[in-house]
Amino acid sequence: MTHITGIPSYENICATGDRSWSLQLVDRLIAPATTIQESDNIGEVLQAVSDPRTWLSLYEILETRSINEDIRWQAGLILREMRWGTPDIEQEKLLRWWHEGDKILQEHALHCMPLDLPEIVAQVAGDASHPLQSTALLAMDFFFEQPRYQELKIKALEHPDPQIREYAAFVLLWDEPIHAQEPLLRATHDSALTVVNEAMNTLQYYHSQRVFIRLQELLSHPQEDVSGQASISYDSLRNSFGLALTHKSVVVRKHIRRWLQPIWEMLNFSEDELKLDGSEDSPVADNSAPANQKITIKVPLDELISTLSNPDESTTIIEGMFSGIDWKAYNPSERKKLTAFLIGHSDILVRYRAAECFRTWNAQDSLIKLLKDPSFIVRKNVMYEMGQASPPSINIAHTAWEHFKRPATRFTHSHETLYTYVSHAPVDEAIRNLVTLAGDAHQLESDRTAAIEHLCKLEAHDEIELLSVLLEDEPEVTWALHISLLESMTTLKINRGNIKRFIHVDNLEMQEAIASFVYEDSDYSGRI
């Protein structure tokens, strides 16, 4: 990286999280002499140090139409990609940016809309005539699990613009919808090699024989970059099959071996690759030395507040301080002062780390108050820390359940919120709500799957047996819910349910679940 004379190298600033140069770097970003390469480098630095003092200037750059569009775009990227994020943008402002018609502001708005205004993103992503269709499509990589959104992403694989087709293959990676497998396989025949490579990269997570056969064909592609990606995806998928063949359960290993028979010769596993570690189902003894106990100290209150009040302090120092503090050593008076200081701090990093402090103190009221933070990343971490808090609290349970029901509580955050709820709620109440959630077809598949997993851990035998009827449903997005049900039924020894139609499903994880369910039950194994 090039850098400004008199300022440490950009690499050094990134490595140390040194914020003392942040404002000068923002000035440099808009200087006439700054090249595109240097603006990219400055962007990486400002993202890494995540200095809240830069927000106002960066938003001003983003919104000033007389500034070069490339620099405005860079300012928006920095704000979106800051390591510790920025406060959530109000819907009113997002809508104003969207309707004003400025392309740079519209593009930034689209990237910020997925949680609060998903329908605008989806509408643009599905509009082949919209100039920001590609931007909207990229914004759909997370938080768009529902089938109607999957259909939109899959349809984009047939778009006349190869960039749109490439982006479509990319955004299908995380959710892995079943109905995308065949379109993605067709995309490996695309005339644009960038589309072929992106499709292969996504297909490595589709653990099926159909995909394996196609990836093996592409190993001999004349273009080196294509054959190289094919090799990466092929090896990844082959390794997944290999792991299943060394499963701790012999019945699973045998079943997977039979299932893989059509491609067994192509897999060409060696004896060493299929060698088991330890005996079947036997616990592995832990002979390792105990991990070093974490050493913490009490930092004097005045010193702690002084350090955290210094806006130039590096993120490395801040994170190190939070990790090394013995929070329990502070007395009630000190805790009260620290609580007000941490909750009201301007730095998202400080508020993010404060959640662990409050959990250590079992300061439930402070955690609940911090859950109203203007930054999503802080709220997410607060919910996670609530899940680790003990003893169980009905107040946290009800707070988590209400938070879970909010439309913007999705993806990993919704799963962590559900975990927090179950950890604190009375068992009978949790089971009732989890059954309702799991059986509601209007809820997200991933949330329903998580509910089933929690019911299994709560040993809700009768409730899982009642929910086994869901096996008759077609998969909504993936096989995840069916797999979770089968695994739960295996664990709780529930042998009802017609699974004959699943025997030929071309999906590794589904076959592992079937093997455990069928062959662990001697009364059931003869019926398929």
Side-chain angles (χ1 to χ4, degrees), residues 98-231:
W98 180 248
H99 292 302
E100 282 180 354
D102 177 77
K103 181 182 177 182
I104 300 298
L105 286 175
Q106 286 184 321
E107 184 173 355
H108 186 74
L110 281 172
H111 281 294
C112 299
M113 284 179 174
L115 279 175
D116 296 315
L117 297 166
E119 292 307 320
I120 292 179
V121 179
Q123 180 182 0
V124 177
D127 184 354
S129 65
H130 202 288
L132 291 177
Q133 183 186 20
S134 61
T135 300
L137 193 59
L138 280 179
M140 294 182 72
D141 54 348
F142 300 117
F143 309 120
F144 289 85
E145 176 188 332
Q146 294 94 319
R148 68 181 184 277
Y149 296 141
Q150 303 297 349
E151 292 173 7
L152 186 155
K153 290 183 274 189
I154 292 169
K155 183 179 179 181
L157 287 170
E158 300 176 356
H159 197 280
D161 185 344
Q163 185 182 62
I164 298 290
R165 300 198 299 275
E166 178 188 350
Y167 288 174
F170 170 75
V171 298
L172 286 165
L173 184 147
W174 189 263
D175 292 327
E176 302 166 35
I178 292 170
H179 296 301
Q181 177 174 294
E182 290 304 317
L184 283 167
L185 285 169
R186 289 195 294 272
T188 64
H189 297 274
D190 201 281
S191 58
L193 299 186
T194 54
V195 178
V196 174
N197 281 344
E198 203 62 63
M200 284 192 292
N201 184 59
T202 295
L203 281 168
Q204 68 181 297
Y205 301 103
Y206 283 73
H207 297 164
S208 73
Q209 297 182 41
R210 285 270 292 118
V211 170
F212 183 81
I213 292 169
R214 178 56 183 155
L215 290 175
Q216 188 182 62
E217 292 171 353
L218 288 163
L219 290 174
S220 58
H221 195 281
Q223 292 291 330
E224 187 175 344
D225 58 336
V226 175
S227 61
Q229 179 60 58
S231 179

Side-chain angles (χ1 to χ4, degrees), residues 5-269:
T5 303
I7 291 182
S9 71
Y10 292 164
E11 291 94 336
N12 182 263
I13 297 175
C14 282
T16 61
D18 184 356
R19 287 172 161 174
S20 63
W21 305 101
S22 300
L23 299 179
Q24 292 185 55
L25 288 171
V26 174
D27 290 339
R28 180 66 179 180
L29 182 67
I30 58 175
T34 303
T35 64
I36 293 177
Q37 179 61 58
E38 187 179 0
S39 73
D40 289 343
N41 295 340
I42 291 172
E44 291 178 19
V45 175
L46 291 174
Q47 291 170 33
V49 300
S50 200
D51 190 337
R53 294 174 298 175
T54 65
W55 298 341
L56 189 60
S57 296
L58 288 169
Y59 275 118
E60 185 177 345
I61 294 169
L62 173 66
E63 294 188 87
T64 302
R65 303 187 187 191
S66 59
I67 294 177
N68 178 279
E69 284 193 353
D70 291 335
I71 299 301
R72 293 177 63 206
W73 182 89
Q74 183 67 250
L77 179 65
I78 295 166
L79 288 163
R80 294 194 301 274
E81 298 295 329
M82 277 195 175
R83 182 183 175 194
W84 296 104
T86 58
D88 298 351
I89 303 172
E90 295 179 354
Q91 287 191 26
E92 182 180 352
K93 177 175 280 191
L94 289 174
L95 289 171
R96 175 169 61 80
W97 284 346
W98 180 248
H99 292 302
E100 282 180 354
D102 177 77
K103 181 182 177 182
I104 300 298
L105 286 175
Q106 286 184 321
E107 184 173 355
H108 186 74
L110 281 172
H111 281 294
C112 299
M113 284 179 174
L115 279 175
D116 296 315
L117 297 166
E119 292 307 320
I120 292 179
V121 179
Q123 180 182 0
V124 177
D127 184 354
S129 65
H130 202 288
L132 291 177
Q133 183 186 20
S134 61
T135 300
L137 193 59
L138 280 179
M140 294 182 72
D141 54 348
F142 300 117
F143 309 120
F144 289 85
E145 176 188 332
Q146 294 94 319
R148 68 181 184 277
Y149 296 141
Q150 303 297 349
E151 292 173 7
L152 186 155
K153 290 183 274 189
I154 292 169
K155 183 179 179 181
L157 287 170
E158 300 176 356
H159 197 280
D161 185 344
Q163 185 182 62
I164 298 290
R165 300 198 299 275
E166 178 188 350
Y167 288 174
F170 170 75
V171 298
L172 286 165
L173 184 147
W174 189 263
D175 292 327
E176 302 166 35
I178 292 170
H179 296 301
Q181 177 174 294
E182 290 304 317
L184 283 167
L185 285 169
R186 289 195 294 272
T188 64
H189 297 274
D190 201 281
S191 58
L193 299 186
T194 54
V195 178
V196 174
N197 281 344
E198 203 62 63
M200 284 192 292
N201 184 59
T202 295
L203 281 168
Q204 68 181 297
Y205 301 103
Y206 283 73
H207 297 164
S208 73
Q209 297 182 41
R210 285 270 292 118
V211 170
F212 183 81
I213 292 169
R214 178 56 183 155
L215 290 175
Q216 188 182 62
E217 292 171 353
L218 288 163
L219 290 174
S220 58
H221 195 281
Q223 292 291 330
E224 187 175 344
D225 58 336
V226 175
S227 61
Q229 179 60 58
S231 179
I232 293 170
S233 297
Y234 173 91
D235 288 343
S236 173
L237 182 50
R238 183 176 180 275
N239 183 58
S240 297
F241 289 147
L243 288 174
L245 291 164
T246 57
H247 193 280
K248 67 177 183 178
S249 171
V250 65
V251 297
V252 173
R253 297 198 299 270
K254 288 182 177 179
H255 177 81
I256 296 301
R257 175 72 178 260
R258 285 194 295 270
W259 176 66
L260 289 173
Q261 199 57 42
I263 60 170
W264 187 252
E265 295 300 322
M266 289 186 284
L267 286 165
N268 193 30
F269 284 117

Side-chain angles (χ1 to χ4, degrees), residues 281-318:
D281 297 331
S282 61
V284 179
D286 184 6
N287 298 318
S288 61
N292 292 331
Q293 188 173 358
K294 183 179 178 181
I295 299 174
T296 57
I297 61 172
K298 178 183 178 181
V299 177
L301 183 62
D302 290 344
E303 179 184 337
L304 174 58
I305 290 179
S306 175
T307 300
L308 296 180
S309 297
N310 177 11
D312 288 339
E313 192 60 82
S314 79
T315 56
T316 302
I317 295 296
I318 294 173

Side-chain angles (χ1 to χ4, degrees), residues 204-466:
Q204 68 181 297
Y205 301 103
Y206 283 73
H207 297 164
S208 73
Q209 297 182 41
R210 285 270 292 118
V211 170
F212 183 81
I213 292 169
R214 178 56 183 155
L215 290 175
Q216 188 182 62
E217 292 171 353
L218 288 163
L219 290 174
S220 58
H221 195 281
Q223 292 291 330
E224 187 175 344
D225 58 336
V226 175
S227 61
Q229 179 60 58
S231 179
I232 293 170
S233 297
Y234 173 91
D235 288 343
S236 173
L237 182 50
R238 183 176 180 275
N239 183 58
S240 297
F241 289 147
L243 288 174
L245 291 164
T246 57
H247 193 280
K248 67 177 183 178
S249 171
V250 65
V251 297
V252 173
R253 297 198 299 270
K254 288 182 177 179
H255 177 81
I256 296 301
R257 175 72 178 260
R258 285 194 295 270
W259 176 66
L260 289 173
Q261 199 57 42
I263 60 170
W264 187 252
E265 295 300 322
M266 289 186 284
L267 286 165
N268 193 30
F269 284 117
S270 67
E271 290 185 8
D272 285 343
E273 288 178 300
L274 299 180
K275 188 177 296 182
L276 304 179
D277 293 327
S279 59
E280 178 194 355
D281 297 331
S282 61
V284 179
D286 184 6
N287 298 318
S288 61
N292 292 331
Q293 188 173 358
K294 183 179 178 181
I295 299 174
T296 57
I297 61 172
K298 178 183 178 181
V299 177
L301 183 62
D302 290 344
E303 179 184 337
L304 174 58
I305 290 179
S306 175
T307 300
L308 296 180
S309 297
N310 177 11
D312 288 339
E313 192 60 82
S314 79
T315 56
T316 302
I317 295 296
I318 294 173
E319 291 189 77
M321 178 171 278
F322 270 95
S323 298
I325 288 179
D326 179 7
W327 295 108
K328 293 182 179 180
Y330 294 97
N331 63 43
S333 175
E334 291 172 320
R335 292 182 184 188
K336 183 177 180 180
K337 186 174 182 179
L338 263 177
T339 297
F341 174 76
L342 294 173
I343 289 179
H345 204 285
S346 62
D347 190 353
I348 291 176
L349 166 57
V350 172
R351 302 199 306 275
Y352 177 94
R353 297 303 300 263
E356 180 183 357
C357 162
F358 297 154
R359 189 259 300 165
T360 302
W361 293 342
N362 196 30
Q364 297 178 12
D365 289 346
S366 298
L367 282 168
I368 291 172
K369 184 175 182 180
L370 195 56
L371 191 61
K372 299 176 183 177
D373 195 272
S375 169
F376 170 77
I377 192 173
V378 174
R379 298 194 299 273
K380 183 178 183 299
N381 194 46
V382 169
M383 187 57 70
Y384 172 82
E385 293 293 347
M386 281 181 168
Q388 312 307 308
S390 62
S393 160
I394 192 66
N395 195 20
I396 288 181
H398 290 168
T399 299
W401 187 245
E402 290 304 309
H403 191 83
F404 176 79
K405 292 188 288 186
R406 296 178 181 178
T409 304
R410 284 181 281 156
F411 200 54
T412 306
H413 184 41
S414 71
H415 305 157
E416 291 171 346
T417 302
L418 191 61
Y419 174 86
T420 295
Y421 167 70
V422 174
S423 298
H424 290 274
V427 173
D428 289 348
E429 176 196 313
I431 288 176
R432 287 196 304 273
N433 283 330
L434 290 169
V435 169
T436 300
L437 173 60
D440 186 352
H442 294 97
Q443 300 296 324
L444 294 178
E445 179 187 84
S446 60
D447 288 340
R448 299 174 69 198
T449 300
I452 290 169
E453 292 169 356
H454 284 299
L455 285 167
C456 181
K457 291 174 184 177
L458 293 173
E459 299 182 351
H461 179 284
D462 293 348
E463 288 76 13
I464 291 292
E465 186 169 21
L466 179 69

